Amino acid sequence: MGDVFKALADPTRRTILDELTDRNGQTLFEICSRLTSKYDLGSSRQAISHHLDVLEAAGLVVTTREGRYKFHYINTRPLEPIVERWLRRPQTGPRASLTAGLRRAPT
């Protein structure tokens, strides 16, 4: 789980995951282009490639090769233990009513 938190700690990596959520299965070139045009991020291809390597090591990105192209896909499975640990655990005790009220609050 530590690798997942390390990967998510960087805002650029979170933006890459946002981008892959919006449009999954992109090449490095596509990701760089969309990060520049959509988010005004001027990182180099090498920097984005490094971020993708960190995300892949954490299991948050899966890649496939098709010929000379490498496609990147988001993988949310490593987030499931985090959700199970802190968000889906049944609440008991004095804080249970507080959290229940927060869940019902309009956003």
Side-chain angles (χ1 to χ4, degrees), residues 3-4 6-8 13 16-17 20 48-65 70-75 78:
D3 287 346
V4 172
K6 177 185 171 190
L8 293 173
R13 289 194 280 269
I16 291 169
L17 291 175
L20 289 175
I48 299 302
S49 181
H50 172 73
H51 287 303
L52 286 166
D53 288 343
V54 172
L55 290 167
E56 189 172 6
L60 292 166
V61 167
V62 176
T63 60
T64 61
R65 281 202 176 272
K70 188 175 180 182
F71 294 91
H72 305 274
Y73 299 89
I74 190 168
N75 178 27

Side-chain angles (χ1 to χ4, degrees), residues 84-97:
E84 290 298 321
R85 183 173 179 174
W86 288 300
L87 299 177
R88 290 201 182 134
R89 180 178 273 180
Q91 298 290 322
T92 59
R95 292 188 180 195
S97 59

